[in-house]
Amino acid sequence: MCIKVLGDSRRRYARVGDLIVCSVKTAIPGGNVKKGDVVKAVVVRTAKEFRRNDGSYIRFDENAAVLINKDTEPIGTRIFGPVARELREKNFMRIVSLAPEVL
């Protein structure tokens, strides 16, 4: 669950590539994060469409984020589902390399 969108005090919505502060709602037993932990994450998919520089629009079926540590490296070792190409421009190369598909 998103607590805060980082970047400005009055930012209400996050887009692909934005950093957010979130709370873990469900977690698997024995994992690195526990239920209730407050962590940082980067948004990798949004259901709201966004415009690319070439004029095309892209949207996904769901909202999704990847948990990151202080060095902006992903906490987990697997990423499920496609991620947007805009993450490469924002230097989240590790997330892009772990993703099964980049759209």
Side-chain angles (χ1 to χ4, degrees), residues 11-102:
R11 269 188 86 178
R12 181 174 286 187
Y13 303 114
R15 292 180 285 189
V16 171
D18 287 346
L19 294 175
I20 61 173
V21 177
C22 55
S23 173
V24 177
K25 286 298 184 184
T26 59
I28 59 172
N32 290 338
V33 293
K34 304 286 185 257
K35 180 181 175 184
D37 286 352
V38 176
V39 293
K40 286 187 181 179
V42 60
V43 177
V44 294
R45 290 192 295 272
T46 57
K48 174 68 178 168
E49 70 275 353
F50 61 93
R51 185 179 185 273
R52 288 191 164 159
N53 292 333
D54 62 357
S56 63
Y57 286 85
I58 185 170
R59 71 170 170 239
F60 297 93
D61 293 336
E62 61 185 356
N63 299 322
V66 174
L67 302 182
I68 58 173
N69 61 14
K70 293 179 182 178
D71 301 325
T72 66
E73 296 291 323
I75 293 175
T77 56
R78 295 186 297 170
I79 294 178
F80 301 105
V83 297
R85 191 183 319 130
E86 282 71 15
L87 294 175
R88 187 184 309 269
E89 299 163 4
K90 298 198 176 188
N91 293 325
F92 292 107
M93 298 305 293
R94 183 84 175 136
I95 295 173
V96 172
S97 65
L98 287 174
E101 187 176 7
V102 179

